[in-house]
Amino acid sequence: MKTLKTIMAAAASLALLSGAARAEDSMRLEWVMQGQFAGPILALDKGYYKDAGIDLKLEPAGPDLKPAVTVAQGTDTFGIGHPNQVITARANEVPLVTVLQLGQKSATTYIARKDTGIKRVEDMPGHSVGLWFGGDEHEFMAMLASAKVDPAKVKIIPQGFDIVAWLNKDYEVMQVTRYNELQLVYDAGYKPEDLVFLEPGDYGVAMINTGVFVREDTIKAHPEKVQAMVNATLRGWQEALADPVAAAKIVLKYNAELTEAGQVAQIKAMGDIMCAGPTLKGEFGKTDPATWPVIEKVLLDTKQIEKPVKLEDGYTNAFWDKAPAAYKTIACPAK
């Protein structure tokens, strides 16, 4: 198990690689500037962070640059990430706290062509699945356990960060993010009706996605900065989801290598991730405490953590409670 000392040492090395500590506050994204982060990008572009009272800079991440590490070390004030990362950090004595929970379902789903004969996870014996390893595979392994499927009867294949192998039928089920690989599948000519979706939520193991976390000492020392970030981020996402085309044009200002159509699709897919749970009750951005024990159980069962943590210390709705009510609803498609 990684200790706090190990994590801090790794983070310090990353800080040396990325330059000296910054004077302004920063938010570390999970990847490059793209529609996945349209809310913060829009809030930055339109000056909503400054209007709310914080001078905030957005920083991209990458395979070796993780928000949980940079925030733990103090290189960044805020990080975009997920409850499983916060729980894992706290199990390693790293005091991260989720202060805004935007996503309310898993960002990943698992797809198969209908001609594979796979209709549900219980059908997986004798079939193959491509998964991302390094921790991302555990959600599907939990789905197998929930369905009482022996993993030894499933051919599990490490997959790359593209869809080529699945298109070539190297494996039947593919792990995809809703906002990226799934959109590429659609671009390749598949329609939703051509596919079978194996959903983590149907098996009670969904690891909800996309929140913003900080260190405990930031909350204590600078609650006004945390409140400003929460207010502006909610406002940015509300506006981005109300007009994905306009938001996509803003995203392209920060990453010209992208396409407008692709970013519109990505922003809409993020809306799908957010339009569940508390959001459907007009509580966009609120943490539902009931989702955290589900995630902790997956982490314990897959031995990513050794013992339970005090979950209620890992999140707070205090800043959401104080955010303007006008920003707590977003445009969701009719169910």
Side-chain angles (χ1 to χ4, degrees):
M1 172 175 286
K2 293 181 180 178
T3 64
L4 176 60
K5 183 178 180 181
T6 302
I7 292 173
M8 291 301 188
S13 297
L14 289 174
L16 290 173
L17 291 174
S18 60
R22 297 164 180 80
E24 69 274 81
D25 290 292
S26 57
M27 177 186 289
R28 182 69 58 175
L29 309 179
E30 280 195 289
W31 201 243
V32 300
M33 291 279 205
Q34 59 179 5
Q36 180 184 358
F37 314 111
I41 293 171
L42 189 150
L44 176 71
D45 188 77
K46 294 203 169 187
Y48 295 162
Y49 286 117
K50 286 190 176 180
D51 290 348
I54 184 171
D55 183 12
L56 188 68
K57 184 176 182 179
L58 302 184
E59 297 283 5
D64 299 315
L65 196 60
K66 304 292 188 182
V69 176
T70 62
V71 173
Q73 187 270 343
T75 303
D76 296 303
T77 317
F78 306 102
I80 292 182
H82 323 299
N84 64 298
Q85 295 164 347
V86 173
I87 293 170
T88 300
R90 296 192 71 88
N92 286 282
E93 301 178 6
V94 180
L96 300 184
V97 181
T98 293
V99 293
L100 183 63
Q101 185 58 49
L102 301 162
Q104 298 294 344
K105 65 169 72 170
S106 175
T108 55
T109 186
Y110 305 83
I111 62 170
R113 301 172 185 83
K114 284 190 174 178
D115 61 11
T116 62
I118 299 170
K119 295 182 179 180
R120 53 184 189 158
V121 175
E122 287 83 351
D123 298 327
M124 284 304 301
H127 292 283
S128 56
V129 57
L131 300 175
W132 294 309
F133 279 72
D136 290 330
E137 75 276 18
H138 294 304
E139 186 178 59
F140 191 80
M141 302 306 289
M143 292 168 69
L144 292 177
S146 178
K148 296 181 170 53
V149 172
D150 183 354
K153 296 181 179 179
V154 180
K155 187 176 183 181
I156 299 172
I157 300 171
Q159 71 176 28
F161 292 96
D162 58 51
I163 66 170
V164 175
W166 183 80
L167 292 176
N168 291 337
K169 300 187 177 181
D170 292 349
Y171 39 82
E172 295 157 289
V173 175
M174 176 171 61
Q175 181 177 11
V176 297
T177 60
R178 302 174 195 273
Y179 49 79
N180 192 5
E181 292 79 17
L182 181 57
Q183 304 307 314
L184 296 177
V185 169
Y186 294 153
D187 290 343
Y190 287 87
K191 299 177 181 178
E193 55 265 30
D194 300 325
L195 304 170
V196 172
F197 292 82
L198 306 179
E199 293 286 1
D202 292 342
Y203 292 87
V205 297
M207 300 177 74
I208 63 169
N209 181 273
T210 308
V212 184
F213 52 73
V214 300
R215 287 175 57 104
E216 284 182 0
D217 56 6
T218 300
I219 292 175
K220 293 176 182 177
H222 301 289
E224 76 288 349
K225 290 185 178 182
V226 179
Q227 190 67 62
M229 181 281 300
V230 167
N231 295 355
T233 302
L234 287 171
R235 184 181 181 186
W237 267 118
Q238 182 186 66
E239 192 167 323
L241 294 173
D243 191 345
V245 174
K249 292 181 187 298
I250 291 174
V251 171
L252 292 178
K253 290 166 59 176
Y254 295 85
N255 190 343
E257 296 181 358
L258 306 172
T259 67
E260 182 177 318
Q263 295 314 291
V264 170
Q266 193 167 102
I267 293 167
K268 288 181 178 180
M270 290 302 296
D272 174 57
I273 293 170
M274 296 171 181
C275 287
T279 304
L280 300 181
K281 299 184 293 183
E283 297 176 333
F284 172 56
K286 186 177 183 179
T287 291
D288 177 2
T291 59
W292 281 58
V294 173
I295 297 166
E296 184 185 54
K297 185 176 186 305
V298 172
L299 297 176
L300 288 166
D301 290 349
T302 56
K303 302 188 186 309
Q304 293 187 75
I305 61 175
E306 292 181 355
K307 60 182 180 180
V309 302
K310 193 175 179 182
L311 294 177
E312 59 268 29
D313 289 345
Y315 61 84
T316 177
N317 281 317
F319 297 97
W320 181 88
D321 288 339
K322 294 178 182 178
Y327 303 153
K328 294 179 179 178
T329 59
I330 57 173
C332 290
K335 294 292 184 181

